[in-house]
PDB file of all heavy atoms in Angstrom:
ATOM      1  N   LYS A   1     -10.370 100.505 -61.888  1.00  0.00           N
ATOM      2  CA  LYS A   1      -9.177 100.444 -61.037  1.00  0.00           C
ATOM      3  C   LYS A   1      -9.060 101.687 -60.155  1.00  0.00           C
ATOM      4  O   LYS A   1      -8.621 101.605 -58.993  1.00  0.00           O
ATOM      5  CB  LYS A   1      -7.951 100.326 -61.930  1.00  0.00           C
ATOM      6  CG  LYS A   1      -6.664 100.078 -61.205  1.00  0.00           C
ATOM      7  CD  LYS A   1      -5.464 100.127 -62.152  1.00  0.00           C
ATOM      8  CE  LYS A   1      -5.543  99.116 -63.266  1.00  0.00           C
ATOM      9  NZ  LYS A   1      -4.307  99.083 -64.090  1.00  0.00           N
ATOM     10  N   TYR A   2      -9.466 102.844 -60.662  1.00  0.00           N
ATOM     11  CA  TYR A   2      -9.271 104.086 -59.946  1.00  0.00           C
ATOM     12  C   TYR A   2     -10.563 104.745 -59.468  1.00  0.00           C
ATOM     13  O   TYR A   2     -10.549 105.895 -59.031  1.00  0.00           O
ATOM     14  CB  TYR A   2      -8.483 105.081 -60.823  1.00  0.00           C
ATOM     15  CG  TYR A   2      -7.107 104.576 -61.149  1.00  0.00           C
ATOM     16  CD1 TYR A   2      -6.805 104.106 -62.431  1.00  0.00           C
ATOM     17  CD2 TYR A   2      -6.117 104.552 -60.176  1.00  0.00           C
ATOM     18  CE1 TYR A   2      -5.535 103.613 -62.721  1.00  0.00           C
ATOM     19  CE2 TYR A   2      -4.852 104.069 -60.465  1.00  0.00           C
ATOM     20  CZ  TYR A   2      -4.581 103.606 -61.749  1.00  0.00           C
ATOM     21  OH  TYR A   2      -3.299 103.115 -62.017  1.00  0.00           O
ATOM     22  N   MET A   3     -11.654 104.025 -59.514  1.00  0.00           N
ATOM     23  CA  MET A   3     -12.913 104.621 -59.079  1.00  0.00           C
ATOM     24  C   MET A   3     -13.001 104.682 -57.546  1.00  0.00           C
ATOM     25  O   MET A   3     -12.320 103.942 -56.833  1.00  0.00           O
ATOM     26  CB  MET A   3     -14.101 103.824 -59.642  1.00  0.00           C
ATOM     27  CG  MET A   3     -14.289 102.466 -59.009  1.00  0.00           C
ATOM     28  SD  MET A   3     -15.727 101.635 -59.722  1.00  0.00           S
ATOM     29  CE  MET A   3     -15.713 100.111 -58.786  1.00  0.00           C
ATOM     30  N   THR A   4     -13.839 105.557 -57.081  1.00  0.00           N
ATOM     31  CA  THR A   4     -14.144 105.648 -55.664  1.00  0.00           C
ATOM     32  C   THR A   4     -15.482 104.996 -55.402  1.00  0.00           C
ATOM     33  O   THR A   4     -16.450 105.282 -56.119  1.00  0.00           O
ATOM     34  CB  THR A   4     -14.228 107.147 -55.227  1.00  0.00           C
ATOM     35  OG1 THR A   4     -12.957 107.778 -55.525  1.00  0.00           O
ATOM     36  CG2 THR A   4     -14.487 107.254 -53.751  1.00  0.00           C
ATOM     37  N   VAL A   5     -15.522 104.118 -54.430  1.00  0.00           N
ATOM     38  CA  VAL A   5     -16.741 103.342 -54.165  1.00  0.00           C
ATOM     39  C   VAL A   5     -17.474 103.885 -52.954  1.00  0.00           C
ATOM     40  O   VAL A   5     -16.877 104.055 -51.894  1.00  0.00           O
ATOM     41  CB  VAL A   5     -16.399 101.858 -53.920  1.00  0.00           C
ATOM     42  CG1 VAL A   5     -17.663 101.046 -53.611  1.00  0.00           C
ATOM     43  CG2 VAL A   5     -15.679 101.262 -55.128  1.00  0.00           C
ATOM     44  N   ASP A   6     -18.757 104.188 -53.142  1.00  0.00           N
ATOM     45  CA  ASP A   6     -19.622 104.541 -52.025  1.00  0.00           C
ATOM     46  C   ASP A   6     -20.300 103.238 -51.616  1.00  0.00           C
ATOM     47  O   ASP A   6     -21.304 102.832 -52.221  1.00  0.00           O
ATOM     48  CB  ASP A   6     -20.656 105.587 -52.453  1.00  0.00           C
ATOM     49  CG  ASP A   6     -21.581 106.005 -51.320  1.00  0.00           C
ATOM     50  OD1 ASP A   6     -21.588 105.297 -50.282  1.00  0.00           O
ATOM     51  OD2 ASP A   6     -22.271 107.017 -51.464  1.00  0.00           O
ATOM     52  N   SER A   7     -19.754 102.569 -50.608  1.00  0.00           N
ATOM     53  CA  SER A   7     -20.223 101.246 -50.234  1.00  0.00           C
ATOM     54  C   SER A   7     -21.663 101.237 -49.777  1.00  0.00           C
ATOM     55  O   SER A   7     -22.406 100.288 -50.045  1.00  0.00           O
ATOM     56  CB  SER A   7     -19.328 100.659 -49.132  1.00  0.00           C
ATOM     57  OG  SER A   7     -18.047 100.377 -49.635  1.00  0.00           O
ATOM     58  N   ASN A   8     -22.092 102.322 -49.090  1.00  0.00           N
ATOM     59  CA  ASN A   8     -23.488 102.392 -48.636  1.00  0.00           C
ATOM     60  C   ASN A   8     -24.449 102.413 -49.820  1.00  0.00           C
ATOM     61  O   ASN A   8     -25.453 101.688 -49.842  1.00  0.00           O
ATOM     62  CB  ASN A   8     -23.708 103.593 -47.758  1.00  0.00           C
ATOM     63  CG  ASN A   8     -22.987 103.513 -46.424  1.00  0.00           C
ATOM     64  OD1 ASN A   8     -22.820 102.418 -45.889  1.00  0.00           O
ATOM     65  ND2 ASN A   8     -22.540 104.634 -45.913  1.00  0.00           N
ATOM     66  N   ALA A   9     -24.151 103.261 -50.806  1.00  0.00           N
ATOM     67  CA  ALA A   9     -25.009 103.351 -51.983  1.00  0.00           C
ATOM     68  C   ALA A   9     -24.973 102.043 -52.782  1.00  0.00           C
ATOM     69  O   ALA A   9     -26.017 101.583 -53.266  1.00  0.00           O
ATOM     70  CB  ALA A   9     -24.565 104.529 -52.861  1.00  0.00           C
ATOM     71  N   LEU A  10     -23.789 101.456 -52.902  1.00  0.00           N
ATOM     72  CA  LEU A  10     -23.651 100.215 -53.641  1.00  0.00           C
ATOM     73  C   LEU A  10     -24.452  99.088 -52.965  1.00  0.00           C
ATOM     74  O   LEU A  10     -25.161  98.340 -53.614  1.00  0.00           O
ATOM     75  CB  LEU A  10     -22.187  99.804 -53.773  1.00  0.00           C
ATOM     76  CG  LEU A  10     -21.895  98.505 -54.516  1.00  0.00           C
ATOM     77  CD1 LEU A  10     -22.403  98.566 -55.963  1.00  0.00           C
ATOM     78  CD2 LEU A  10     -20.394  98.188 -54.482  1.00  0.00           C
ATOM     79  N   PHE A  11     -24.358  99.017 -51.642  1.00  0.00           N
ATOM     80  CA  PHE A  11     -25.080  98.004 -50.887  1.00  0.00           C
ATOM     81  C   PHE A  11     -26.596  98.172 -51.078  1.00  0.00           C
ATOM     82  O   PHE A  11     -27.298  97.196 -51.325  1.00  0.00           O
ATOM     83  CB  PHE A  11     -24.735  98.075 -49.387  1.00  0.00           C
ATOM     84  CG  PHE A  11     -25.662  97.297 -48.533  1.00  0.00           C
ATOM     85  CD1 PHE A  11     -25.630  95.906 -48.522  1.00  0.00           C
ATOM     86  CD2 PHE A  11     -26.609  97.926 -47.725  1.00  0.00           C
ATOM     87  CE1 PHE A  11     -26.497  95.162 -47.728  1.00  0.00           C
ATOM     88  CE2 PHE A  11     -27.461  97.207 -46.928  1.00  0.00           C
ATOM     89  CZ  PHE A  11     -27.413  95.812 -46.930  1.00  0.00           C
ATOM     90  N   CYS A  12     -27.076  99.408 -50.987  1.00  0.00           N
ATOM     91  CA  CYS A  12     -28.533  99.654 -51.152  1.00  0.00           C
ATOM     92  C   CYS A  12     -28.993  99.277 -52.548  1.00  0.00           C
ATOM     93  O   CYS A  12     -30.066  98.669 -52.728  1.00  0.00           O
ATOM     94  CB  CYS A  12     -28.843 101.125 -50.880  1.00  0.00           C
ATOM     95  SG  CYS A  12     -28.661 101.576 -49.139  1.00  0.00           S
ATOM     96  N   TYR A  13     -28.173  99.576 -53.562  1.00  0.00           N
ATOM     97  CA  TYR A  13     -28.508  99.220 -54.956  1.00  0.00           C
ATOM     98  C   TYR A  13     -28.566  97.714 -55.127  1.00  0.00           C
ATOM     99  O   TYR A  13     -29.512  97.171 -55.695  1.00  0.00           O
ATOM    100  CB  TYR A  13     -27.473  99.850 -55.890  1.00  0.00           C
ATOM    101  CG  TYR A  13     -27.577  99.382 -57.312  1.00  0.00           C
ATOM    102  CD1 TYR A  13     -28.592  99.876 -58.126  1.00  0.00           C
ATOM    103  CD2 TYR A  13     -26.699  98.433 -57.828  1.00  0.00           C
ATOM    104  CE1 TYR A  13     -28.699  99.441 -59.448  1.00  0.00           C
ATOM    105  CE2 TYR A  13     -26.802  98.004 -59.128  1.00  0.00           C
ATOM    106  CZ  TYR A  13     -27.810  98.499 -59.938  1.00  0.00           C
ATOM    107  OH  TYR A  13     -27.921  98.063 -61.237  1.00  0.00           O
ATOM    108  N   ILE A  14     -27.535  97.030 -54.625  1.00  0.00           N
ATOM    109  CA  ILE A  14     -27.484  95.571 -54.737  1.00  0.00           C
ATOM    110  C   ILE A  14     -28.636  94.926 -53.975  1.00  0.00           C
ATOM    111  O   ILE A  14     -29.294  94.005 -54.500  1.00  0.00           O
ATOM    112  CB  ILE A  14     -26.129  95.043 -54.209  1.00  0.00           C
ATOM    113  CG1 ILE A  14     -24.992  95.471 -55.108  1.00  0.00           C
ATOM    114  CG2 ILE A  14     -26.149  93.511 -54.083  1.00  0.00           C
ATOM    115  CD1 ILE A  14     -23.623  95.313 -54.492  1.00  0.00           C
ATOM    116  N   LEU A  15     -28.881  95.394 -52.765  1.00  0.00           N
ATOM    117  CA  LEU A  15     -29.946  94.826 -51.965  1.00  0.00           C
ATOM    118  C   LEU A  15     -31.306  94.970 -52.640  1.00  0.00           C
ATOM    119  O   LEU A  15     -32.090  94.035 -52.663  1.00  0.00           O
ATOM    120  CB  LEU A  15     -29.976  95.512 -50.590  1.00  0.00           C
ATOM    121  CG  LEU A  15     -31.011  94.984 -49.584  1.00  0.00           C
ATOM    122  CD1 LEU A  15     -30.685  93.551 -49.188  1.00  0.00           C
ATOM    123  CD2 LEU A  15     -31.065  95.874 -48.356  1.00  0.00           C
ATOM    124  N   ARG A  16     -31.561  96.141 -53.198  1.00  0.00           N
ATOM    125  CA  ARG A  16     -32.818  96.367 -53.906  1.00  0.00           C
ATOM    126  C   ARG A  16     -32.987  95.393 -55.068  1.00  0.00           C
ATOM    127  O   ARG A  16     -34.035  94.778 -55.241  1.00  0.00           O
ATOM    128  CB  ARG A  16     -32.903  97.817 -54.397  1.00  0.00           C
ATOM    129  CG  ARG A  16     -34.244  98.189 -55.006  1.00  0.00           C
ATOM    130  CD  ARG A  16     -34.346  99.680 -55.284  1.00  0.00           C
ATOM    131  NE  ARG A  16     -33.356 100.127 -56.236  1.00  0.00           N
ATOM    132  CZ  ARG A  16     -32.317 100.908 -55.915  1.00  0.00           C
ATOM    133  NH1 ARG A  16     -32.125 101.302 -54.662  1.00  0.00           N
ATOM    134  NH2 ARG A  16     -31.463 101.307 -56.854  1.00  0.00           N
ATOM    135  N   LYS A  17     -31.917  95.238 -55.858  1.00  0.00           N
ATOM    136  CA  LYS A  17     -31.977  94.317 -56.998  1.00  0.00           C
ATOM    137  C   LYS A  17     -32.228  92.874 -56.554  1.00  0.00           C
ATOM    138  O   LYS A  17     -33.057  92.162 -57.126  1.00  0.00           O
ATOM    139  CB  LYS A  17     -30.672  94.375 -57.806  1.00  0.00           C
ATOM    140  CG  LYS A  17     -30.538  95.578 -58.715  1.00  0.00           C
ATOM    141  CD  LYS A  17     -29.325  95.498 -59.579  1.00  0.00           C
ATOM    142  CE  LYS A  17     -29.461  94.373 -60.592  1.00  0.00           C
ATOM    143  NZ  LYS A  17     -28.320  94.316 -61.531  1.00  0.00           N
ATOM    144  N   ARG A  18     -31.489  92.435 -55.546  1.00  0.00           N
ATOM    145  CA  ARG A  18     -31.620  91.039 -55.086  1.00  0.00           C
ATOM    146  C   ARG A  18     -32.996  90.794 -54.469  1.00  0.00           C
ATOM    147  O   ARG A  18     -33.595  89.729 -54.682  1.00  0.00           O
ATOM    148  CB  ARG A  18     -30.541  90.720 -54.053  1.00  0.00           C
ATOM    149  CG  ARG A  18     -29.103  90.941 -54.525  1.00  0.00           C
ATOM    150  CD  ARG A  18     -28.677  89.953 -55.576  1.00  0.00           C
ATOM    151  NE  ARG A  18     -27.271  90.209 -55.912  1.00  0.00           N
ATOM    152  CZ  ARG A  18     -26.851  90.533 -57.139  1.00  0.00           C
ATOM    153  NH1 ARG A  18     -27.714  90.679 -58.111  1.00  0.00           N
ATOM    154  NH2 ARG A  18     -25.561  90.727 -57.368  1.00  0.00           N
ATOM    155  N   MET A  19     -33.501  91.754 -53.701  1.00  0.00           N
ATOM    156  CA  MET A  19     -34.803  91.559 -53.044  1.00  0.00           C
ATOM    157  C   MET A  19     -35.945  91.538 -54.065  1.00  0.00           C
ATOM    158  O   MET A  19     -36.883  90.778 -53.914  1.00  0.00           O
ATOM    159  CB  MET A  19     -35.070  92.646 -52.008  1.00  0.00           C
ATOM    160  CG  MET A  19     -34.193  92.547 -50.780  1.00  0.00           C
ATOM    161  SD  MET A  19     -34.304  90.949 -49.945  1.00  0.00           S
ATOM    162  CE  MET A  19     -32.655  90.298 -50.225  1.00  0.00           C
ATOM    163  N   VAL A  20     -35.828  92.374 -55.108  1.00  0.00           N
ATOM    164  CA  VAL A  20     -36.858  92.364 -56.153  1.00  0.00           C
ATOM    165  C   VAL A  20     -36.917  91.000 -56.822  1.00  0.00           C
ATOM    166  O   VAL A  20     -38.012  90.457 -57.075  1.00  0.00           O
ATOM    167  CB  VAL A  20     -36.589  93.481 -57.190  1.00  0.00           C
ATOM    168  CG1 VAL A  20     -37.408  93.269 -58.471  1.00  0.00           C
ATOM    169  CG2 VAL A  20     -36.904  94.847 -56.592  1.00  0.00           C
ATOM    170  N   ARG A  21     -35.745  90.391 -57.069  1.00  0.00           N
ATOM    171  CA  ARG A  21     -35.718  89.090 -57.705  1.00  0.00           C
ATOM    172  C   ARG A  21     -36.288  87.988 -56.786  1.00  0.00           C
ATOM    173  O   ARG A  21     -37.020  87.108 -57.239  1.00  0.00           O
ATOM    174  CB  ARG A  21     -34.299  88.731 -58.133  1.00  0.00           C
ATOM    175  CG  ARG A  21     -33.825  89.577 -59.298  1.00  0.00           C
ATOM    176  CD  ARG A  21     -32.401  89.311 -59.671  1.00  0.00           C
ATOM    177  NE  ARG A  21     -31.969  90.234 -60.711  1.00  0.00           N
ATOM    178  CZ  ARG A  21     -30.725  90.335 -61.114  1.00  0.00           C
ATOM    179  NH1 ARG A  21     -29.765  89.624 -60.560  1.00  0.00           N
ATOM    180  NH2 ARG A  21     -30.423  91.211 -62.058  1.00  0.00           N
ATOM    181  N   ILE A  22     -35.920  88.051 -55.524  1.00  0.00           N
ATOM    182  CA  ILE A  22     -36.415  87.048 -54.582  1.00  0.00           C
ATOM    183  C   ILE A  22     -37.939  87.152 -54.446  1.00  0.00           C
ATOM    184  O   ILE A  22     -38.651  86.159 -54.552  1.00  0.00           O
ATOM    185  CB  ILE A  22     -35.750  87.215 -53.191  1.00  0.00           C
ATOM    186  CG1 ILE A  22     -34.319  86.697 -53.227  1.00  0.00           C
ATOM    187  CG2 ILE A  22     -36.541  86.437 -52.119  1.00  0.00           C
ATOM    188  CD1 ILE A  22     -33.583  86.863 -51.918  1.00  0.00           C
ATOM    189  N   VAL A  23     -38.414  88.378 -54.209  1.00  0.00           N
ATOM    190  CA  VAL A  23     -39.857  88.567 -54.044  1.00  0.00           C
ATOM    191  C   VAL A  23     -40.595  88.247 -55.338  1.00  0.00           C
ATOM    192  O   VAL A  23     -41.672  87.618 -55.315  1.00  0.00           O
ATOM    193  CB  VAL A  23     -40.157  90.022 -53.584  1.00  0.00           C
ATOM    194  CG1 VAL A  23     -41.659  90.293 -53.579  1.00  0.00           C
ATOM    195  CG2 VAL A  23     -39.580  90.250 -52.170  1.00  0.00           C
ATOM    196  N   GLY A  24     -40.011  88.638 -56.471  1.00  0.00           N
ATOM    197  CA  GLY A  24     -40.645  88.333 -57.765  1.00  0.00           C
ATOM    198  C   GLY A  24     -40.813  86.844 -57.988  1.00  0.00           C
ATOM    199  O   GLY A  24     -41.885  86.382 -58.364  1.00  0.00           O
ATOM    200  N   LEU A  25     -39.748  86.072 -57.734  1.00  0.00           N
ATOM    201  CA  LEU A  25     -39.839  84.612 -57.889  1.00  0.00           C
ATOM    202  C   LEU A  25     -40.803  84.006 -56.887  1.00  0.00           C
ATOM    203  O   LEU A  25     -41.557  83.087 -57.218  1.00  0.00           O
ATOM    204  CB  LEU A  25     -38.449  83.959 -57.736  1.00  0.00           C
ATOM    205  CG  LEU A  25     -37.635  83.768 -58.991  1.00  0.00           C
ATOM    206  CD1 LEU A  25     -36.283  83.154 -58.659  1.00  0.00           C
ATOM    207  CD2 LEU A  25     -38.364  82.907 -60.021  1.00  0.00           C
ATOM    208  N   ALA A  26     -40.799  84.520 -55.659  1.00  0.00           N
ATOM    209  CA  ALA A  26     -41.692  84.004 -54.613  1.00  0.00           C
ATOM    210  C   ALA A  26     -43.137  84.226 -55.009  1.00  0.00           C
ATOM    211  O   ALA A  26     -43.983  83.333 -54.867  1.00  0.00           O
ATOM    212  CB  ALA A  26     -41.384  84.654 -53.284  1.00  0.00           C
TER     213      ALA A  26
END
């Protein structure tokens, strides 16, 4: 509830995870 979000870092982390899964399945 009270955390501070670094959206750039969060986006890069999420993107890396999602791309690894897509490329892995492909």
Side-chain angles (χ1 to χ4, degrees):
K1 188 187 301 186
Y2 297 106
M3 71 179 181
T4 302
V5 178
D6 181 346
S7 292
N8 292 328
L10 180 60
F11 167 72
C12 291
Y13 171 77
I14 292 165
L15 183 65
R16 186 171 62 251
K17 282 187 67 175
R18 304 290 183 241
M19 290 304 113
V20 165
R21 289 176 185 171
I22 286 178
V23 172
L25 268 178

